Amino acid sequence: MIPYEKEMTTLKTSGNESTSWHRLDAGEVLAKLQSSEKGLADEDARHRQERFGPNALIEKERKPLLRMFLDQFKDFMILVLIAAAVVAGVIGEISDTVAIAVIVVLNGVLGFVQEYRAEKAMAALKRMAAPSATVIRNGQARSVPADRLVPGDRVILEAGNVVPADLRLTEAVQMQIDESALTGESVPVEKDIAPLEEEDLPLGDRKNMAYKGTLVTFGRGQGVVTETGMKTELGRIAALLQNQEESRTPLQKRLTVFGQKLAYAVLAICAVVFAAGLLRGEPPLLMLLTAISLAVAAIPEALPAVITISLALGAKKLVRQHALIRKLPAVETLGSVTYICSDKTGTLTLNRMTVEKLHAGGRLERAAPLPPLEINDAGGKSMTDQDPVVLLLTALALCNDARVDASGTVLGDPTETSLIELAREKGLIKAHLDEKYPRRAEIPFDSSRKRMTTFHPWENGRVVSFTKGAVEALLEGTDNVLTRNGTEAIDASKVQDTAEEIAADGLRTLGCAMRIWEGLPDPLTPETVETGLVFIGMVGMMDPPRPEAAEAVAMCRAAGIKPVMITGDHPRTAQVIAERVGILRGEKKAVLTGRELAHLAPEDFQDKVERIRVYARVAPEQKLKIVKALQDRGHFVAMTGDGVNDAPALKRADIGVAMGITGTDVSKEAAHMILLDDNFATIVKAVREGRRIFDNIRKFIKYTMTSNSGEIFTIFLAPFMGLPIPLLPIHILWINLVTDGVPGLALAAEPGEKDIMHRPPRDPKESIFAKGLGVHIIWVGLLMGCVSILTQALFINSAKTHWQTMVFTVLCLSQMGNVLVIRSEKESFFSQGVLSNKPLFGAVLLTFVLQMATIYVPFLNPVFKTAPLTAGELGVTLLFSTVVFLAVEIEKVVKRKRNTEESARMI
């Protein structure tokens, strides 16, 4: 045995530098790892454990829970609210303090729960590890804890085992491994031990390797450990996952800027109001209380509650549409998405192989329109004299390991189940065929031959063998072909051309041949059996697009969202599906393979990334590369995934979307949203909901800031008009309480605008005050203030009027008119209908009743410093309260006319 020091020096390279283990033969691997057929000695294994560490995924130190909770209060908008709560408490408005404190704490608890749950992805990844492994040490097989494995250990694998480390296989007997969690390929991979020549093969094509966390589904084998712990492919994904910081949502970024601007504006305005009041000779204490009350009123303390309720209601609605939201801010972020990067299998397609084309008897036809077939047994007609299509479907159903359960569901390999379903559709029932032609013997499929053969009793006591497999593999042993005129000598090139024609449509080809025997052949070997065959025909199959996928893609395009397909499938298959669903519409050079991507310089990829629509044969880290490249170009990206390999990209994406049916626990824990039906169309529905929610949050800001600016202008402008301060602090705080609260919250229930999916996504850099919102807040607030001051000016000199109660009521009810009219940017309130948002109608009615109570309930008059209005005063008040409503309706008429003219010019 090589001395330990020399051995460790040699092995340092294997632990720290990338070695193409799949390119080495088994002997070279053993030599490089200083191992042997007898495995490692116990002493060697112990030294290597000290050198390489445990075969386990190492988790970064977590943030302490207390710090995680306190971090939820660092947001600037939250700090502004906390300051407002303190000020409200100082001036004696305890109810405001309590309300703001409750909102802030609930918001913090929600954020803490979301962040804590996000930490669970790593725990789910660790659960994939095998608890123990069977190894050969000192020439003897034994079971050891999987975390004790070291490079050079020989591991024995059997069906049902989880692969405990990355292995180079040295023995593989009909071994199949489910690598879907790592590669996304849904079909188990057939393994062998032959070295592979290509350097940069994708994981899914490395047939002689087995990777940590994958599952042996069939057969048995052995392998030598090449990498352990964080150096395995699973470990690399764990490192990527832990290094990805979740980006802040568009709304969070906008609200931070909004909070900063609001705080500065409020402080400046309050200082001016206080100074103006003093200059006019108002009592300093009154002006101080007025300025402070104005500051509290100007802060939209209900905003966090409105956002949370909007997101929660949206999440509840999306569950009914098969989308489970794991992180609430994701609901709004969906509305900002500019790219949706989607898996193909199961998301855009049905995840069910279907035969689309069939070639038999010299004729190529589509499988779907074929009418049901019947086997004609009349007159002793030979099976070989039947329609070639009947014989082909019979052969494909018999030479098939799938089975049908009691409920009629076909279970087994997706390719084989599709063949049985096709035969059943045409009247050929597998159970009946198995009963009539029971299987006598078989030669199982293996990847080197690319075919399988079964034997069945046939006419006149003879035996028939059906051989099914790759067309090119069948042609090696085929002499004749079955035509509609009988058996003829085969033209192999013609058959191969047909197979290539089918494959050119993105279909997977599968051929079938037969041979009649006088009895069961002996010996039963591929060399003696799979020769002298008669070629029956072939089928072309694929996983077809979902019926609703094309419509969903069209909706994306109409909404200005670019759909992109990312798949591990063959480029041609990916291109065909992309064309059928509308992702590709004649774009040139819009398909990129994983290998081409690997050779692209980062700056070259940055230049191309916005033009690529289909990625095929991508490696795990390449999804992450695609997300980063799009984000660097200023896009908001939704990324779908179901495997462990997808988790880092899901976490990094602005919206990570995991599959609820096929997704792994790791992908679900890393994602922001889970598709309960694995359907692309559900993402589009979620985008629509996200846009509606952002619109409603924006409407609330529009409403509450307009109302607040109306209050500010009323108090700020009055002294310049030679008028006393029109409102008392109690009036300001009351209006703030009844108008910002329930009516504002009711805006969360507002239905989406009609054109919501016919406009481009919001610019990620766009301010929350964009598209005229800031101007609207100022001019409508100014109008509201002017109407209130006009009321004061008209009635202040009349001893018989209650001018202050009138101003108080005009300002309050003007805000109710405002909340009704801003429900839509363009559509008239009257065309929307009064009851199209019943919660809002109820909130406005409740506010009106409460305001009337402050005027007409006697014991409230001294509290609010009000007096009952006469019928005339109330009539004037109600009339003045409609001015804002009518003005905004006129604004919308102008907008509609302008949009109509612009549309006409474009035509």
Side-chain angles (χ1 to χ4, degrees):
M1 185 63 70
I2 296 174
Y4 170 66
E5 291 79 7
K6 183 178 178 182
E7 179 183 343
M8 288 299 104
T9 301
T10 306
L11 284 175
K12 280 181 183 179
T13 58
S14 70
N16 296 315
E17 297 177 7
S18 177
T19 301
S20 300
W21 299 107
H22 63 279
R23 300 184 67 196
L24 306 179
D25 66 30
E28 289 176 306
V29 173
L30 288 172
K32 193 171 181 67
L33 290 169
Q34 307 297 339
S35 188
S36 68
E37 294 293 333
K38 294 183 179 181
L40 299 176
D42 288 335
E43 185 68 11
D44 289 337
R46 187 177 64 80
H47 287 315
R48 295 187 190 204
Q49 181 93 66
E50 293 172 358
R51 167 68 180 84
F52 295 109
N55 175 36
L57 302 183
I58 309 301
E59 194 168 357
K60 286 200 308 187
E61 185 177 352
R62 287 193 178 192
K63 188 190 296 185
L65 295 182
L66 179 60
R67 183 183 161 195
M68 192 184 293
F69 180 70
L70 294 177
D71 281 351
Q72 309 306 317
F73 302 95
K74 288 165 56 176
D75 186 84
F76 192 85
M77 190 68 195
I78 297 298
L79 294 176
V80 170
L81 286 175
I82 292 172
V86 172
V87 171
V90 169
I91 65 173
E93 294 298 327
I94 302 302
S95 59
D96 268 17
T97 300
V98 172
I100 295 173
V102 168
I103 289 169
V104 168
V105 171
L106 286 177
N107 192 70
V109 169
L110 181 66
F112 170 77
V113 170
Q114 298 287 347
E115 186 174 345
Y116 178 75
R117 287 177 61 183
E119 298 287 331
K120 289 187 175 181
M122 189 64 191
L125 200 61
K126 292 170 83 171
R127 287 198 297 271
M128 292 182 62
S132 62
T134 303
V135 301
I136 298 174
R137 287 186 181 168
N138 299 322
Q140 296 181 335
R142 69 177 74 166
S143 178
V144 300
D147 62 1
R148 300 287 181 86
L149 290 180
V150 294
D153 260 328
R154 289 183 63 83
V155 176
I156 298 172
L157 296 174
E158 296 178 345
N161 288 164
V162 174
V163 179
D166 285 3
L167 311 175
R168 169 59 167 90
L169 295 173
T170 57
E171 179 185 331
V173 181
Q174 297 181 21
M175 177 184 278
Q176 295 180 12
I177 297 182
D178 179 0
E179 296 180 340
S180 58
L182 273 183
T183 66
E185 292 290 339
S186 56
V187 179
V189 180
E190 188 85 17
K191 294 293 183 178
D192 59 39
I193 64 171
L196 302 166
E197 293 183 6
E198 294 186 54
E199 174 75 30
D200 54 351
L201 276 177
L203 293 185
D205 293 336
R206 298 180 188 182
K207 308 291 186 182
N208 55 18
M209 299 291 295
Y211 294 105
K212 181 179 176 70
T214 58
L215 178 67
V216 181
T217 59
F218 193 79
R220 59 182 175 81
Q222 291 186 24
V224 59
V225 175
T226 56
E227 303 289 357
T228 59
M230 295 299 287
K231 294 191 179 297
T232 62
E233 291 297 327
L234 195 66
R236 289 176 60 236
I237 291 169
L240 286 172
L241 185 62
Q242 293 186 94
N243 291 333
Q244 295 311 310
E245 294 294 332
E246 289 196 48
S247 54
R248 301 180 75 216
T249 69
L251 185 62
Q252 289 170 330
K253 294 173 185 175
R254 290 184 175 108
L255 287 179
T256 297
V257 175
F258 170 67
Q260 291 170 346
K261 290 180 178 178
L262 179 65
Y264 300 144
V266 166
L267 290 174
I269 290 170
C270 290
V272 171
V273 168
F274 180 70
L278 291 181
L279 290 174
R280 193 179 178 281
E282 298 285 354
L285 181 60
L286 174 64
M287 289 314 302
L288 178 63
L289 290 175
T290 301
I292 292 174
S293 298
L294 198 60
V296 174
I299 301 296
E301 67 268 19
L303 182 58
V306 168
I307 292 172
T308 301
I309 290 171
S310 297
L311 297 177
L313 291 175
K316 184 179 179 181
K317 184 176 179 180
L318 284 172
V319 168
R320 295 196 295 269
Q321 297 176 351
H322 308 295
L324 177 65
I325 302 298
R326 293 192 64 255
K327 301 169 187 176
L328 268 187
V331 181
E332 180 276 329
T333 309
L334 282 160
S336 301
V337 164
T338 55
Y339 270 79
I340 298 178
C341 298
S342 174
D343 276 343
K344 175 182 72 71
T345 305
T347 310
L348 287 164
T349 65
L350 292 169
N351 196 21
R352 186 177 70 240
M353 292 298 286
T354 303
V355 176
E356 296 218 339
K357 288 190 175 180
L358 184 146
H359 180 267
R363 219 160 45 191
L364 180 62
E365 48 195 321
R366 297 196 65 82
L370 286 174
L373 304 167
E374 292 184 7
I375 299 177
N376 186 357
D377 290 326
K381 189 173 183 179
S382 169
M383 188 65 183
T384 51
D385 293 331
Q386 295 281 354
D387 182 332
V389 174
V390 173
L391 185 56
L392 175 62
L393 295 181
T394 299
L396 292 173
L398 289 170
C399 188
N400 195 313
D401 289 330
R403 60 187 178 83
V404 183
D405 67 11
S407 66
T409 304
V410 185
L411 307 174
D413 177 84
T415 298
E416 299 208 316
T417 60
S418 68
L419 299 175
I420 290 178
E421 286 172 347
L422 177 66
R424 181 165 62 184
E425 287 172 12
K426 310 311 174 189
L428 296 164
I429 309 302
K430 180 168 173 59
H432 299 166
L433 293 173
D434 284 340
E435 185 178 351
K436 188 173 183 180
Y437 307 106
R439 187 179 299 188
R440 291 278 186 86
E442 66 181 286
I443 302 176
F445 175 87
D446 71 55
S447 56
S448 59
R449 289 169 33 246
K450 297 182 181 179
R451 51 186 179 256
M452 69 176 286
T453 301
T454 58
F455 298 85
H456 309 266
W458 207 238
E459 292 110 348
N460 304 320
R462 292 180 295 176
V463 172
V464 65
S465 63
F466 290 124
T467 302
K468 178 186 72 180
V471 173
E472 64 273 17
L474 288 181
L475 291 177
E476 294 171 3
T478 302
D479 297 333
N480 298 297
V481 61
L482 186 65
T483 70
R484 296 186 181 275
N485 300 319
T487 301
E488 298 177 359
I490 193 167
D491 182 346
S493 62
K494 186 177 179 181
V495 174
Q496 188 63 47
D497 288 346
T498 302
E500 290 174 3
E501 180 185 345
I502 294 173
D505 288 333
L507 305 181
R508 178 185 174 189
T509 57
L510 191 69
C512 194
M514 65 181 292
R515 181 175 174 179
I516 305 294
W517 305 82
E518 293 302 320
L520 202 60
D522 186 23
L524 209 62
T525 63
E527 294 76 17
T528 58
V529 167
E530 295 173 345
T531 57
L533 302 175
V534 176
F535 189 80
I536 308 171
M538 70 184 91
V539 293
M541 59 187 74
M542 78 182 320
D543 178 12
R546 288 177 177 267
E548 65 273 22
E551 182 184 354
V553 168
M555 286 180 65
C556 279
R557 287 185 175 274
I561 301 167
K562 295 180 175 65
V564 173
M565 178 195 291
I566 301 179
T567 179
D569 214 332
H570 190 277
R572 180 56 189 156
T573 304
Q575 184 176 341
V576 169
I577 294 293
E579 288 172 349
R580 286 172 63 169
V581 300
I583 289 176
L584 280 178
R585 296 193 303 187
E587 292 96 337
K588 295 181 179 179
K589 299 181 180 178
V591 180
L592 192 70
T593 66
R595 184 172 296 178
E596 291 167 340
L597 176 55
H599 290 103
L600 269 181
E603 57 273 16
D604 292 336
F605 182 50
Q606 282 281 353
D607 293 338
K608 288 185 175 184
V609 68
E610 291 179 310
R611 299 192 297 274
I612 304 301
R613 294 292 174 269
V614 175
Y615 295 88
R617 294 291 193 200
V618 292
E621 62 274 13
Q622 289 179 322
K623 272 195 172 184
L624 190 58
K625 185 176 181 179
I626 294 165
V627 171
K628 287 180 177 178
L630 287 170
Q631 288 175 332
D632 289 344
R633 300 288 289 187
H635 292 288
F636 274 83
V637 184
M639 170 71 77
T640 72
D642 56 5
V644 173
N645 59 323
D646 297 324
L650 292 178
K651 188 173 181 181
R652 174 59 188 250
D654 299 286
I655 292 291
V657 183
M659 303 296 109
I661 298 172
T662 60
T664 59
D665 287 346
V666 181
S667 65
K668 291 175 184 176
E669 293 291 353
H672 304 82
M673 180 174 87
I674 299 172
L675 297 185
L676 301 178
D677 58 357
D678 291 10
N679 193 340
F680 180 83
T682 302
I683 304 176
V684 181
K685 293 176 187 174
V687 169
R688 180 187 181 89
E689 186 64 17
R691 290 188 174 192
R692 184 189 72 84
I693 286 169
F694 179 77
D695 282 356
N696 289 349
I697 291 171
R698 197 167 180 270
K699 286 170 188 174
F700 173 78
I701 292 173
K702 184 179 187 179
Y703 160 67
T704 190
M705 294 309 298
T706 302
S707 301
N708 293 352
S709 67
E711 296 164 23
I712 291 169
F713 281 124
T714 300
I715 295 172
F716 179 68
L717 295 177
F720 293 99
M721 303 293 179
L723 298 170
I725 298 296
L727 299 173
L728 299 173
I730 186 66
H731 296 153
I732 298 170
L733 294 171
W734 170 257
I735 292 173
N736 187 49
L737 176 65
V738 298
T739 62
D740 274 10
V742 180
L745 291 173
L747 279 172
E750 188 63 34
E753 303 259 6
K754 291 179 180 178
D755 67 341
I756 199 166
M757 289 300 282
H758 293 278
R759 64 191 193 212
R762 301 186 303 276
D763 185 338
K765 298 175 184 175
E766 179 181 283
S767 162
I768 207 160
F769 295 106
K771 297 179 181 176
L773 179 61
V775 174
H776 177 95
I777 288 171
I778 293 171
W779 83 258
V780 175
L782 184 59
L783 177 62
M784 200 178 290
C786 289
V787 171
S788 301
I789 292 173
L790 179 62
T791 305
Q792 179 184 15
L794 290 175
F795 296 99
I796 192 171
N797 295 320
S798 173
K800 296 181 180 180
T801 60
H802 310 96
W803 66 268
Q804 193 168 55
T805 302
M806 292 175 71
V807 173
F808 175 38
T809 305
V810 165
L811 187 57
C812 180
L813 298 186
S814 291
Q815 294 183 19
M816 291 303 93
N818 186 38
V819 78
L820 291 174
V821 79
I822 60 144
R823 290 174 52 202
S824 173
E825 294 277 345
K826 301 170 188 172
E827 193 176 354
S828 168
F829 168 77
F830 301 104
S831 63
Q832 282 183 291
V834 177
L835 297 178
S836 55
N837 185 344
K838 293 178 182 176
L840 180 60
F841 178 73
V844 170
L845 200 60
L846 175 63
T847 302
F848 179 81
V849 170
L850 291 174
Q851 180 64 22
M852 292 301 103
T854 66
I855 301 171
Y856 294 109
V857 175
F859 74 85
L860 293 178
N861 292 147
V863 175
F864 289 97
K865 308 296 188 290
T866 57
L869 299 177
T870 65
E873 290 172 335
L874 182 61
V876 170
T877 299
L878 294 177
L879 181 64
F880 279 23
S881 299
T882 64
V883 171
V884 169
F885 177 90
L886 295 173
V888 178
E889 276 292 336
I890 292 169
E891 179 195 36
K892 289 197 284 188
V893 170
V894 173
K895 279 185 178 179
R896 289 196 297 272
K897 185 177 179 182
R898 189 184 304 143
N899 289 339
T900 303
E901 291 173 353
E902 288 176 0
S903 300
R905 281 198 300 269
M906 290 176 66
I907 294 172

